[in-house]
Amino acid sequence: MAMALGISFGLGEVVWVGVQIAANSTYAAIPWYAFGGFVTGRLVVCFGHGVMAAMTVSTLRSPTRRWRGFVGAVAMHGG
């Protein structure tokens, strides 16, 4: 469940960034195949968001470890 939630967030982020790029006219002259790095990076980001959500959710039931999962996910996101 956590992986699905995180990956869904990552996909939403991909759409948002894609819309922002499409709205900027300076990218219009760049051919579509030049965005291969963007697509690859965004797929990695989707998986990473799933992992970070799973880290957080997996520790929610333990009162002593609850913050470790969240802080670990925040540190992973910042890194």
Side-chain angles (χ1 to χ4, degrees):
M1 183 81 114
M3 285 293 287
L5 178 69
I7 289 173
S8 297
F9 181 83
L11 287 173
E13 190 175 315
V14 168
V15 170
W16 183 79
V17 171
V19 167
Q20 297 302 314
I21 288 173
N24 192 339
S25 62
T26 57
Y27 293 108
I30 299 173
W32 64 270
Y33 51 83
F35 292 100
F38 168 78
V39 173
T40 304
R42 293 287 104 189
L43 288 174
V44 170
V45 164
C46 283
F47 179 72
H49 276 100
V51 169
M52 289 180 279
M55 285 175 60
T56 302
V57 171
S58 67
T59 59
L60 284 179
R61 295 188 75 187
S62 172
T64 58
R65 294 182 12 184
R66 180 174 297 163
W67 290 103
R68 288 183 193 172
F70 176 71
V71 171
V74 168
M76 193 172 163
H77 197 278

